[in-house]
Amino acid sequence: MKIGITCYPTYGGSGVIATELGKALALKGHQVHFISYALPFRLTHFVENVFFHEVEMSNYPLFEFPLYSLALASKMVEVAEYEKLDLLHVHYAIPHATSAYLAKQMLAGKRDIKVITTLHGTDITLVGLEPSFLPLVKFSIEKSDGATAVSRFLKEKTIINYSIEKDIKVIPNFVDTQLYKPNKDCAFREHLAPRGEKILVHTSNFRQVKRVTDAIRIFEEVLKEIPSKLILVGDGPDRSECERLCRQLGLCDHIKFLGKQDGLVDILNAADIFLIPSQSESFGLAALEAMSCGIPVVSSSVGGLPELIRHNETGFIAEIGDIRRMAKYAIDLLTNGKKHALFSENSRKRAVEYFDKSIVVPMYENYYEDILKE
Ligand code: GMT
């Protein structure tokens, strides 16, 4: 198949899934054309059958706001026509699904291109609900030839919030379990916790929905009982607030802000527990990557997290904002070696059995084939 993929090229789960999917499809012999305003950050090496098309933006004094959606639609038309694409797979509804709809209309009569939209999270649960976007998101999903959501939760939210009657297929996030795998000899651990302290890790884009300050407050409770360190990976709007909170709580010696990092596997392998206390999380790719490395997860009970994390089996789940309970769960795991080892094994097993890329990528491939047959 010849597939066009559009995603946000910056740090974030939807871009990771889109890029890893594209690379996996290319390795299976499909031709994959990424169309975006910058090279997706996970597209670091040459991969046969993978091409990148940059959406160029021109500035004109009259345009107070950049017209990216329109420039993207034009680029989609150009690539579809000259590269003879069979389908456009867009990740994150806004504005990608709308640009793809426009491109499809512009190609009518010349090329029958199918559009598949994958819904990832805040495109449905947050931004899409704003009155200025809601009718457009509904329209663009309904006009897509196929739509997928990364969890049952997100599918249901889409149907309810946007009164959508169209069938939405659930295809979960995936991970390369050969890459994200346990490595107990991780040298990094000594560097992060030189006195043998326990290590808690949180990775995110530090947006409000991630509730990173909850991770800090959970850690504060854990530290009262167990010598430990908190490693915060990533960057975003809430980082300054988090650093301020660390200073206020006197925790600066125990918390490390690593900022954006590429070597996540090593960092995860240094960890004993992964924290994800989000306000909203349609799937929780970061938690899956931790589980794949055999790290038990303590999370909030929101969105698709309970579809991924098995309470009292691979980790623990508590109500949003219930810092005490999450801390209690973390302490329980950190003080009970047998339980920790069992949860670690269960986490790895669940990632390998249900969410490995060899299982999930064919789900997309089969879905493409079904849509192309319609
Ligand atoms: O929706 C977002 O906040 C952005 C998106 C991203 O690009 O990081 O994250 C979502 O998509 C991921 C990949 O499908 C999911 O694993 C995340 O749970 C989801 N984030 C939220 O729902 C907050």
Side-chain angles (χ1 to χ4, degrees):
M1 280 178 264
K2 292 188 172 187
I3 305 152
I5 292 184
T6 288
C7 63
Y8 282 104
T10 45
Y11 278 81
S14 61
V16 171
I17 290 297
T19 313
E20 295 300 339
L21 173 63
K23 289 197 292 193
L25 290 167
L27 286 174
K28 293 180 112 183
H30 301 291
Q31 206 179 87
V32 178
H33 294 264
F34 284 94
I35 308 169
S36 189
Y37 60 83
L39 190 71
F41 81 98
R42 284 270 183 117
L43 214 56
T44 44
H45 297 93
F46 171 76
V47 182
E48 212 181 322
N49 293 327
V50 169
F51 303 85
F52 172 61
H53 306 264
E54 186 167 330
V55 180
E56 301 111 35
M57 293 294 300
S58 59
N59 284 323
Y60 187 67
L62 199 59
F63 304 153
E64 200 177 330
F65 304 102
L67 302 179
Y68 178 64
S69 319
L70 303 183
L72 174 61
S74 289
K75 186 55 92 179
M76 284 170 162
V77 170
E78 184 190 309
V79 178
E81 211 174 341
Y82 295 113
E83 302 294 347
K84 304 202 169 9
L85 297 186
D86 299 304
L87 62 92
L88 277 170
H89 185 181
V90 299
H91 293 259
Y92 206 87
I94 308 170
H96 303 150
T98 315
S99 300
Y101 168 77
L102 188 55
K104 185 180 165 97
Q105 298 311 307
M106 289 164 73
L107 285 161
K110 281 191 245 172
R111 184 153 203 91
D112 177 24
I113 189 157
K114 302 289 184 191
V115 172
I116 293 174
T117 299
T118 289
L119 310 170
H120 279 274
T122 49
D123 46 351
I124 293 302
T125 56
L126 210 67
V127 201
L129 290 174
E130 285 178 19
S132 52
F133 287 130
L134 195 145
L136 192 72
V137 171
K138 175 177 163 63
F139 176 84
S140 305
I141 295 171
E142 280 172 342
K143 292 293 178 186
S144 297
D145 297 290
T148 77
V150 297
S151 59
R152 292 195 297 278
F153 157 82
L154 192 62
K155 171 180 173 164
E156 278 151 31
K157 270 276 168 247
T158 310
I159 293 170
I160 294 166
N161 290 349
Y162 300 83
S163 315
I164 284 179
E165 283 172 24
K166 183 183 189 61
D167 189 36
I168 296 174
K169 188 167 177 64
V170 175
I171 303 185
N173 282 180
F174 59 89
V175 65
D176 182 348
T177 60
Q178 293 303 310
L179 182 66
Y180 284 80
K181 62 180 180 198
N183 170 19
K184 286 301 149 216
D185 301 325
C186 174
F188 212 46
R189 193 181 167 99
E190 256 172 54
H191 172 73
L192 293 172
R195 288 183 200 85
E197 298 96 331
K198 298 290 183 191
I199 299 180
L200 294 86
V201 167
H202 167 84
T203 72
S204 76
N205 46 20
F206 282 65
R207 279 184 290 158
Q208 222 179 350
V209 285
K210 301 293 176 180
R211 294 183 73 110
V212 188
T213 48
D214 279 12
I216 293 169
R217 290 188 185 279
I218 293 165
F219 174 71
E220 185 191 18
E221 296 292 315
V222 172
L223 187 63
K224 285 178 191 161
E225 309 270 328
I226 303 164
S228 45
K229 296 277 181 192
L230 174 64
I231 309 301
L232 296 170
V233 185
D235 212 329
D238 276 6
R239 178 161 169 185
S240 300
E241 162 68 7
C242 290
E243 292 186 355
R244 196 193 53 74
L245 182 65
C246 287
R247 287 193 292 273
Q248 185 195 318
L249 299 175
L251 295 175
C252 295
D253 289 344
H254 308 278
I255 299 181
K256 268 203 169 78
F257 288 83
L258 297 187
K260 287 178 185 171
Q261 294 285 331
D262 278 337
L264 259 193
V265 179
D266 286 337
I267 297 168
L268 289 172
N269 266 305
D272 296 293
I273 283 185
F274 186 83
L275 295 176
I276 179 163
S278 305
Q279 176 96 35
S280 163
E281 202 66 67
S282 66
F283 182 89
L285 178 61
L288 172 59
E289 289 172 344
M291 286 168 67
S292 187
C293 293
I295 313 303
V297 175
V298 174
S299 84
S300 55
S301 57
V302 298
L305 286 172
E307 294 173 45
L308 170 66
I309 299 152
R310 288 265 169 270
H311 182 70
N312 208 12
E313 206 178 287
T314 68
F316 286 114
I317 297 174
E319 289 291 307
I320 310 173
D322 195 342
I323 288 161
R324 283 255 168 83
R325 187 167 290 271
M326 287 189 234
K328 192 176 142 282
Y329 285 145
I331 293 165
D332 180 19
L333 275 172
L334 293 174
T335 50
N336 187 338
K338 253 190 176 172
K339 196 183 232 180
H340 187 277
L342 178 65
F343 277 38
S344 167
E345 198 183 306
N346 292 344
S347 296
R348 169 74 185 165
K349 197 161 170 263
R350 187 158 170 75
V352 171
E353 283 181 3
Y354 295 98
F355 303 106
D356 184 64
K357 72 172 186 178
S358 65
I359 299 164
V360 179
V361 171
M363 292 184 190
Y364 279 112
E365 247 180 322
N366 294 338
Y367 189 61
Y368 290 170
E369 275 159 17
D370 289 348
I371 295 296
L372 285 171
K373 270 187 228 143
E374 279 176 5

